[in-house]
Amino acid sequence: MDTSMDFTLGLSQGVAWPWPIAVYLFFAGISGGALTIALALRFYLGQVENTAFLKAATLLSFVTISLGMLCLVLDLTNPLFFWRILVFYNLNSVMSIGVIALSVYIPLVAVVALLALEKELMAIPQLKFLAPIIAKLKGFRRPMEALALVLALSVCAYTGFLISALIRFPLINTSVLPALFIASGLSAGGASAKMLAVWLFKEPLHSGEMKILHGAEWPIMFAEAMFIFMIATALLTGNAGGQFAFAAFHEGVWASVFWIGVVGIGFAAPLLLNFATGKHFSHSAKAFYMSGMCAVVGMMCLRLFILLAGQNYAI
Amino acid sequence: MSENIERRRFLKSAGMCSLILTPLAGCSVKEDADSAHKPHYVMVFDQNKCVGCGDCKTACNQANNLPAGVSRVILEQQSGRVEGQACPHCGKMVCDCERKFVRVSCQQCKNAPCVTVCPTGAAHRDAKTGIVTMDASKCAGCKYCIGACPYNARLINNNTDVADNCDFCLHSKLSKGELPACVQSCKYDALIFGDANDPQSYVSKLLAVKDSVRIKPQFGTEPSLRYIPIVKLGV
C-alpha cells in the first residue's frame, strides 16, 4: 500500500529522564573511573602500601557513587518505591544487571576504602571498634581489589549500556556510547582523584605516580574525542533519523553545551593550559587544579549533552 | 587458497556446524509451536470512519479509573494544510477540509522494548493473552519503559505513581468477557478488536481483505495495532 500513517503526539510530556539522571551518570562515571585508574596503577606498579592517590580515589569513589544513588532514587516517581528494584529482577533488562553490579560494587568500594584509609580512620578514637574488622578483611585485600577493578570498569560501561538501549533516540542509541563513557569516566575520575590526592592527602605535585597519571591523561582524552567524532559521523552519514539527530551538534542550547562545555572547557582548555603557556605556569598548582576542574566540568557537560540533547531528537 | 575444499575437511565442518546449530533450531521450533495455540489480540483503527468525537477516550478513562489529565489513549488531529496558509482545497484560511484523526495509544508490540528494559518485570506480557500490561505492585517508577517506547505511548499514572499503558482493558473489561471500553463506545465502528490467530474472527477476515499499515514498523517491534488510512485523493 503506497501510503503510511504516523502520529507525533505522545502520552507522556517532556523527557523521560531529566537532568538528575545526567548527574547520576556523571557520579557513576567519576566513581568507576577514579577507582579503575587507582587500582590499575596499584597492580601495574605492584604497590602494597596505601598511596595518597589510592586513598583519594577510594574515598572519592565511595562518596560519588553514594551521591549518584541518591540522584537515582530521588528521580523515581515515588522514591519510596526504590526497594522494588532491589527485590524484583528481570535479567533481560540492562538496569537490572546494573543493580546487581552496583549492589556488589558499593559495599566493595566501602571495604576497599576502609582498608586504604586505615591509618586515617584509626586516628579517630570513635572508630576504634573498626580495628578487628579491618584486620579480618586484610586477608582478602588482593582478590577484593581485583574484583573492584572489574566492577569499576563495568559501572562506567553500564551507564552507557543503560541509555543506549533507548531505541528512539539516534544520538543515544549507539554502540560507541559505553566506550565513550568509560573514556570520559577515566579522564574525569582520574583528574578528580588527582586533585583530591594533592589537596587532602598532600601528594607532591610532581611525584613519580603523578607523572604517570599526567602521561595517561592525553591518550584517554584523545580516545574520548575520537568516540564523540565517531558518533557524530555515524549520525551525519546515517539514515534520516540520524541526520535529524545530528542537528543536536549545531543548533539550540545543547549545541552550546557541547561546543562550549565539552569541546571548549573539556578538551581545549586543558590542552591550552598545559601546552600553550610557559613552563613555569603549566607546572604550577594553579594550572594543575584548573585543568583538573576543566576535565570534570567537560565530562558533566558531555553527560548532559548526550542524555538531554539525545532525548530531544527522537525519531 | 585452493577452490577445492578437501572432502574430509568439508564433512568435518559440516558436522561441527550441525552440532552447533541443531539445538538452536530446536529452540525456535518449540517457541513457534507454543505460540500457535496462543491468541494474538489486535486492534484495527479505521481512519475512514473515525470522526474524532473522543468517546473512546472518555470510555477508557472511566473503565480504567484514570485520574484527571491522564489518558491511555488520545486522538491526534491531522490535516494536510500548513498553519497560516490558505487551504489548498477550498482556499479559505480556516476550514475543516482534510481533517483526519489518528489513534495514539500503546501499540501492543510483539517485540516490546518496554518489557525488555523493565528492571522489575512490572511491564510484562500477560501469560494467557500475550497482552502487554503492568503489575503496578512491582513498578519502581524508574521511567525506563517510557524512554524505551518508540511510540511515546506509555505514561505515569498520578494516582498510583507508577507507569501505565493501554492493555486493551485486560483487567477492567476483557477478564469479564467484554470488549475493550473504547471499542464498545465507538458509535462509528472505527475500532475493531479480536484475535488475529483465530481465522474465524472478524479481525482476521477484515485484515485479509483490507490494506492496513502499522506505525513505525522500521523499529522491528511488530506492533499489534493496525491502521486503515484514508486513501481518498482530491475531491
Side-chain angles (χ1 to χ4, degrees), chain B residues 139-180:
Chain B
C139 178
C142 70
K143 295 169 282 182
Y144 204 3
C145 58
I146 292 177
C149 173
Y151 304 96
N152 193 4
R154 298 183 62 87
L155 52 132
I156 290 290
N157 184 329
N158 313 324
N159 271 3
T160 55
D161 275 347
V162 300
D164 213 334
N165 70 311
C166 160
D167 57 3
F168 291 155
C169 286
L170 177 63
H171 305 294
S172 54
K173 298 281 178 189
L174 233 52
S175 53
K176 296 181 206 154
E178 288 182 45
L179 283 171

Side-chain angles (χ1 to χ4, degrees), chain A residues 30 73 115 186 216 241 277 282 310:
Chain A
I30 297 254
V73 169
L115 293 175
L186 290 179
T277 54
S282 69

